[in-house]
Amino acid sequence: MSTENLPQSPEQPLRKPRVAVVFGGRSSEHGISVVTAGAVLRSIDRTKYDVLPIGITADGRWALTADEPDRMAITDRRTPSVEQLADSTEGGVVLSVDPANREVVYSEPGAVPKALGEVDVVFPVLHGPYGEDGTLQGLLELAGVPYVGAGVLASAVGQDKEYMKRVFVSFGLPVGPYEVIRPREWKLDPAAARKKIIDFAGEHGWPLFIKPARAGSSIGITKVDGLAGLDEAIAEAQRHDPKILVEALLRGREIECGVLEFADGPRASAPAEIPPVSSHDFYDFEAKYIDSASGIVPAPLTEEQTAEVRRLAVEAFDAASCEGLVRADFFLTKDGEFVINEINTMPGFTPISMYPRMWQESGVSYPELVDLLIQAALRRSTGLR
């Protein structure tokens, strides 16, 4: 039978990809994640994408929030919270873990659940544990939803500074001296665990940096000049993570470099230098986010040094099996050697953060950067790849 004279159904308009920006979370970096989300929401091209902001409260509830980036800024030296932005104190958002169903549902006690539509890609701007460490990435893999940034393995490696360094060493990347004190060591013999740190200082000298092994944004880090401040520094690190990392001081210049995944593979940005901050003992949380200490972009390096740090940044990206983006942090020692300190698989993305500034210097604006990351996520499948 000919279909020529049958009524034709009108063509359905193409739906814009829906991006869920997920932010906040249960880590001590909750507030910075909210600030990052504000910058991302402000920059997503609304002519290309539909946007669904989803905040995770400090106690882990997924909340529907207003799409109001201006409320997601640091005010009076205080970071914002998801609790301030949530539409309800009781309502919750649920993402299906059925790969055949990407629909997001919102429910409140005593009310009929409301479907919010399907999500095509998640932009997770969570920092620290319960978001940047592979946990959220695992959930999204189960749900079959593509997402921006590193996968489960790379996220976990990038969050745990001990295993990050172990991976780098196995790939021949230079790392500085470090020691790890595990929770079991503190529990079984705290005196022996403390002596381990003192012995490390005896070998490498004071000062030392005492860090939570699985935190970021320089939270919980203390520079210790001797025995007098050691116990307080240990307690501060353990407030954020029961496993702590001890690092020797590396004397040299702090150099950072961004890596971004393009269609033809990862590329490195122009590097930046973090100069000493006179009002701070080191580049800590207050210097980074509250006092807006500024880095130098591009870093005043020779052509050879710039090429070398960019090469090492991409090598670190590949060594940890990263995807999407990474900020790689180095020390340039007085001997002219680059030593990698760490990578961040979801680096600070606020307007003053170094990662977007380095790419701005490299010819990629903030909105373009956000778009490239979303496009890279949409190109990838979930599961083994």
Side-chain angles (χ1 to χ4, degrees):
M1 178 194 294
S2 170
T3 60
E4 209 171 61
N5 297 318
L6 292 178
Q8 301 295 312
S9 54
E11 287 189 13
Q12 295 295 320
L14 289 175
R15 182 175 66 84
K16 290 185 289 186
R18 171 171 271 196
V19 181
V21 179
V22 181
F23 59 96
R26 294 163 57 188
S27 83
S28 52
E29 297 174 77
H30 177 103
I32 289 303
S33 173
V34 178
V35 176
T36 296
V40 170
L41 287 169
R42 193 177 289 110
S43 300
I44 289 180
D45 186 347
R46 305 305 176 101
T47 67
K48 290 179 66 173
Y49 306 106
D50 285 329
V51 178
L52 178 65
I54 300 174
I56 301 178
T57 63
D59 61 3
R61 178 174 63 91
W62 288 44
L64 194 62
T65 69
D67 186 2
E68 299 178 9
D70 290 344
R71 295 174 59 196
M72 301 179 180
I74 294 174
T75 306
D76 297 328
R77 302 178 69 85
R78 290 187 173 186
T79 56
S81 71
V82 169
E83 285 78 0
Q84 296 166 350
L85 301 164
D87 286 352
S88 164
T89 58
E90 295 182 317
V93 172
V94 176
L95 175 66
S96 170
V97 292
D98 178 1
N101 176 17
R102 293 180 178 177
E103 193 160 72
V104 175
V105 174
Y106 176 75
S107 62
E108 289 189 89
V112 176
K114 182 170 86 173
L116 300 178
E118 290 192 347
V119 166
D120 298 289
V121 63
V122 169
F123 200 134
V125 291
L126 295 114
H127 303 304
Y130 310 109
E132 192 183 350
D133 59 349
T135 50
L136 177 64
Q137 289 74 15
L139 172 65
L140 296 173
E141 293 285 352
L142 288 173
V145 180
Y147 52 93
V148 169
V152 176
L153 173 66
S155 296
V157 168
Q159 188 64 45
D160 191 314
K161 295 178 176 61
E162 175 194 359
Y163 287 97
M164 181 197 307
K165 291 176 186 292
R166 290 183 183 275
V167 167
F168 290 157
V169 169
S170 73
F171 277 82
L173 291 164
V175 303
Y178 72 96
E179 186 61 86
V180 178
I181 313 294
R182 301 175 186 279
R184 184 174 64 249
E185 296 179 72
W186 294 112
K187 186 175 181 180
L188 293 178
D189 193 341
R194 189 174 185 276
K195 183 178 183 299
K196 192 174 174 181
I197 299 175
I198 296 169
D199 290 345
F200 180 82
E203 181 179 358
H204 298 286
W206 301 94
L208 301 177
F209 288 91
I210 311 295
K211 302 180 173 183
R214 295 162 291 193
S217 298
S218 298
I219 289 173
I221 299 178
T222 306
K223 181 181 177 184
V224 182
D225 294 312
L227 288 173
L230 182 58
D231 292 335
E232 186 178 347
I234 292 169
E236 172 60 17
Q238 288 179 325
R239 277 202 320 117
H240 304 278
D241 188 346
K243 181 167 80 166
I244 70 169
L245 191 79
V246 183
E247 291 180 342
L249 173 68
L250 286 175
R251 300 188 185 278
R253 298 161 63 187
E254 291 191 49
I255 306 294
E256 298 184 349
C257 190
V259 180
L260 178 63
E261 180 186 356
F262 289 81
D264 59 353
R267 301 181 207 167
S269 70
E273 179 168 5
I274 309 300
V277 183
S278 58
S279 58
H280 296 265
D281 206 17
F282 63 98
Y283 194 45
D284 60 6
F285 178 87
E286 292 267 326
K288 282 182 180 178
Y289 297 109
I290 304 301
D291 295 330
S292 303
S294 182
I296 302 168
V297 187
L301 301 170
T302 66
E303 287 186 18
E304 293 78 9
Q305 288 171 330
T306 296
E308 176 66 2
V309 75
R310 292 179 72 193
R311 180 186 71 81
L312 289 170
V314 173
E315 281 198 14
F317 182 94
D318 286 335
S321 298
C322 293
E323 295 168 296
L325 71 164
V326 148
R327 193 194 71 230
D329 300 345
F330 298 86
F331 290 103
L332 176 57
T333 68
K334 293 182 178 179
D335 297 330
E337 299 295 323
F338 283 103
V339 176
I340 188 164
N341 183 39
E342 65 181 46
I343 58 171
N344 278 267
T345 56
M346 185 53 70
F349 225 81
T350 68
I352 64 168
S353 296
M354 296 310 301
Y355 185 84
R357 287 186 58 201
M358 288 187 286
W359 279 109
Q360 176 77 43
E361 178 65 27
S362 305
V364 181
S365 70
Y366 195 106
E368 290 172 324
L369 184 57
V370 169
D371 187 64
L372 283 167
L373 289 168
I374 294 171
Q375 290 299 318
L378 287 169
R379 284 195 302 270
R380 290 196 304 268
S381 62
T382 54
L384 298 177
R385 53 188 183 273

